[in-house]
């Protein structure tokens, strides 16, 4: 898959590294293409670097790994290029009433296939999703069908097991998992090396 990763720091680099190693074509979309850290990352991975606009145009899938506070302006500025692409919203609007950007995608890029994923665990669980013998789960939501399978493949390629909570109307539920993560990791002092597993029988 051609994967555009907007943002190339903690989350963008962690996810981009996994996807490049899994054989996907990765382009990082950044504000400053001359940033030596981003150039070194791309060289290490055999990935490419472009502007946000270049990356969105390139990607079959566009992953938002930028601050939540930058989401509205970024979505609005690139609404046309986002078109009907698969979008993964990993950004958290910290301190806001709503953590996700579903409303902005609906307003500016209504044809995009928007998924909520990679927002509810710390980056450490993306880098290493195994806790002993147990594979961590990642909660996600968004439209069903073929694009869902592609999105879930990207979750599996990070090493996590996708657990779908339904279509995008379930986004609040995915965000509540993120709130639970914060409550346990920081509120209860359990630390960032923390993830979730759904058990069934
Ligand atoms: N860290 C985690 O464990 C974690 C886990 C799940 C989800 N998230 C979410 O993922 C997102 C990224 O988190 P992070 O920890 O990777 O943050 P970060 O290390 O601060 O990286 C943010 C990235 O976004 C870029 N950026 C900043 N402002 C921008 C703007 N106005 N327009 C376009 N790009 C901009 C930065 O580029 P410059 O280098 O140009 O500043 C950088 O590449 C956040 O929304 C966060 O809530 C984080």
């Amino acid at each position: 898959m051609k994967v555009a990763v907007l943002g190339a720091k903690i989350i963008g680099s962690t996810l981009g590294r996994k996807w490049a190693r899994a054989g996907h074509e990765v382009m990082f979309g950044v504000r400053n293409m001359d940033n030596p850290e981003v150039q070194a990352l791309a060289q290490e991975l055999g990935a490419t670097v472009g502007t946000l606009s270049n990356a969105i145009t390139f990607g079959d899938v566009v992953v938002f790994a930028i601050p939540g506070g930058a989401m509205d302006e970024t979505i609005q500025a690139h609404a046309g290029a986002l078109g009907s692409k698969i979008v993964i919203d990993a950004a958290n609007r910290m301190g806001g009433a709503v953590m996700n950007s579903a409303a902005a995608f609906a307003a500016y890029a209504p044809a995009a296939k928007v998924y909520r994923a990679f927002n509810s665990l710390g980056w450490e669980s993306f880098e290493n999703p195994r806790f002993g013998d147990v594979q961590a789960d990642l909660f996600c939501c968004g439209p069903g069908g073929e694009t869902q399978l592609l999105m879930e493949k990207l979750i599996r390629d990070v090493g996590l097991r996708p657990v779908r909570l339904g279509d995008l109307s379930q986004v609040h539920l995915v965000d509540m998992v993120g709130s639970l993560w914060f409550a346990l990791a920081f509120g209860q002092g359990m630390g960032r090396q923390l993830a979730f597993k759904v058990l069934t029988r």
Side-chain angles (χ1 to χ4, degrees):
M1 258 179 272
K2 289 184 175 176
V3 185
V5 181
L6 308 188
K9 275 200 184 161
I10 298 179
I11 289 296
S13 68
T14 304
L15 295 177
R17 180 172 277 112
K18 287 288 182 90
W19 290 327
R21 288 183 179 159
H24 298 290
E25 287 180 67
V26 173
M27 181 184 284
F28 292 101
V30 295
R31 295 185 293 185
N32 175 14
M33 288 174 54
D34 298 328
N35 180 334
E37 282 179 30
V38 180
Q39 288 294 342
L41 174 70
Q43 194 167 1
E44 173 202 332
L45 302 179
T48 50
V49 180
T51 61
L52 296 170
S53 175
N54 294 152
I56 292 169
T57 302
F58 165 87
D60 302 319
V61 180
V62 181
V63 182
F64 282 77
I66 63 175
M71 287 295 284
D72 284 349
E73 60 176 313
T74 305
I75 295 165
Q76 189 171 7
H78 300 282
L82 285 168
S84 58
K85 288 179 187 266
I86 301 171
V87 164
I88 301 179
D89 176 12
N92 286 317
R93 297 167 180 252
M94 303 302 293
V98 176
M99 294 281 263
N100 66 79
S101 297
F105 285 113
Y108 301 118
K113 318 262 182 330
V114 179
Y115 292 88
R116 183 71 165 146
F118 300 109
N119 63 295
S120 58
L121 301 174
W123 66 270
E124 298 88 342
S125 296
F126 304 152
E127 185 177 71
N128 179 10
R130 296 205 79 88
F131 290 72
D133 290 339
V134 179
Q135 178 190 32
D137 288 341
L138 185 73
F139 294 96
C140 59
C141 70
E146 201 174 315
T147 54
Q148 175 204 337
L149 299 180
L150 295 175
M151 194 277 306
E152 290 188 352
K153 173 156 176 48
L154 290 177
I155 295 176
R156 285 198 184 85
D157 286 343
V158 169
L160 292 150
R161 183 181 73 147
V163 177
R164 182 172 184 256
L165 296 180
D167 63 21
L168 200 59
S169 67
Q170 298 300 320
V171 67
H172 63 288
L173 206 48
V174 181
D175 286 357
M176 284 168 71
V177 177
S179 299
L180 179 63
W181 187 90
F182 277 105
L184 294 173
F186 300 121
Q188 297 305 311
M190 293 176 75
R192 297 182 57 93
Q193 298 285 349
L194 185 151
F196 301 107
K197 188 78 204 164
V198 175
L199 303 176
T200 56
R201 71 167 121 228

